[in-house]
Each structure stands twice: as C-alpha cells, then as structure tokens.
Amino acid sequence: MVFENNESLDSRWYNLHLTFCTSQRRDTISKAQHSLDADQVLNLITNSLNDDKAIDIQAISLAGKSAMADFMVVASGSSSRQVAAMAEHLQFKLKQSHIDIIGVEGIRQADWVLLDANDVIVHLFRPEVREFYGIERMWADGGVEEIVRVTADA
C-alpha cells in the first residue's frame, strides 16, 4: 500500500514505532541497559576524569531541578587535545561498563564536549570556555560537590 506522498505502510509504521521508542527511551535505557545506579555511574565518570588529570571536577545534583538526569559533571582540560582525549577515554570506560551513551557533541573541536550518559550529563571544557559560559553557576544553588582526589606519586 502506498500513501499520497509515496510513503509505504512499512515506513509509516517504522516512523510511528521510532517516535514511540524515543519518547520512552530514558526509562528503558536506565532500567534495562545497565545495572549501575546513578551514583555508581557518577563515580565511574569522576574516577575516569581524575585519572585523565581533569581540572576542577564538579558534580552537581540535579534532583528537584531537572528530570533530564540525576547528576551533571563539569570539568576542564588544559587544551582541546586533553578535552578530546578525556571524552574518548570516558566513552570507552562507559561502554566497557555496558552503559549506553545517548549522545556526544563537540568532540571534533573539543572546546566544549557534552556527553549524555543518561543518568549523568558530562560537560568537558577548555578553562576559558568554561569560565565564559559558567554552566555550573546556572545549576549549582549550593549543590556542587567538588571532587578532589590526592594520589601519591610513585
């Protein structure tokens, strides 16, 4: 069967199915795709960023502020190359832990990389870009937890 714009029944069904699935995706992904809770995903992300020598790692709880995620992590790298490397390492570690990444934006230029890990949204910046946008000031309201780790040099 073909409709007025030459669209087949199969393509209409596929588009309807796709629309339904994407509207339900956050619940499905968070419940079915991985067994880690938001706190464990947050810990995995902050550990990865710390291992990659990220600057000024901040975790912001989004509870009561937004339904898009449970946490937001903001961190800086000293250069575009470091920001891109941190994002790539983070993607690899999340995939190793069977955590689906919904989207990644900005990795090519690497001034500001946004990584959506469903329960945790990650923003990686070069320091001057981070200062310009001040994204943590918009969301913080006293709920910022600075992640500081001290490691012994071997």
Side-chain angles (χ1 to χ4, degrees):
M1 176 179 282
V2 177
F3 294 95
E4 57 194 37
N5 60 356
N6 294 329
E7 187 178 67
S8 70
L9 182 59
D10 287 342
S11 66
R12 276 199 163 184
W13 178 86
Y14 176 76
N15 289 336
L16 179 63
H17 177 72
L18 186 61
T19 302
F20 175 76
C21 288
T22 55
S23 68
Q24 301 289 325
R25 79 177 182 169
R26 284 209 180 268
D27 291 333
T28 303
I29 290 171
S30 63
K31 292 177 185 170
Q33 296 294 328
H34 61 81
S35 59
L36 299 179
D37 65 15
D39 291 321
Q40 292 169 319
V41 174
L42 175 66
N43 192 39
L44 182 126
I45 289 169
T46 56
N47 285 336
S48 175
L49 294 173
N50 188 59
D51 291 346
D52 288 337
K53 309 287 190 251
I55 302 165
D56 192 19
I57 305 168
Q58 294 188 357
I60 301 168
S61 174
L62 298 179
K65 298 175 192 171
S66 176
M68 71 178 171
D70 295 329
F71 295 99
M72 179 183 297
V73 175
V74 182
S76 299
S78 58
S79 66
S80 294
R81 185 173 287 187
Q82 184 187 12
V83 170
M86 289 188 307
E88 289 169 0
H89 293 160
L90 190 52
Q91 283 180 313
F92 179 76
K93 289 178 182 179
L94 290 168
K95 286 179 182 179
Q96 272 187 324
S97 298
H98 306 291
I99 298 168
D100 285 336
I101 299 167
I102 295 172
V104 178
E105 297 292 332
I107 201 162
R108 179 171 253 176
Q109 182 138 2
D111 288 330
W112 176 359
V113 176
L114 170 71
L115 192 142
D116 186 346
N118 193 42
D119 295 328
V120 182
I121 307 293
V122 181
H123 295 274
L124 303 174
F125 293 96
R126 284 188 307 108
E128 54 274 7
V129 177
R130 180 177 181 175
E131 184 179 337
F132 179 79
Y133 286 104
I135 196 166
E136 60 264 42
R137 289 190 303 267
M138 289 191 301
W139 289 94
D141 293 340
V144 174
E145 177 185 336
E146 186 171 359
I147 309 296
V148 178
R149 293 200 171 70
V150 179
T151 58
D153 292 335

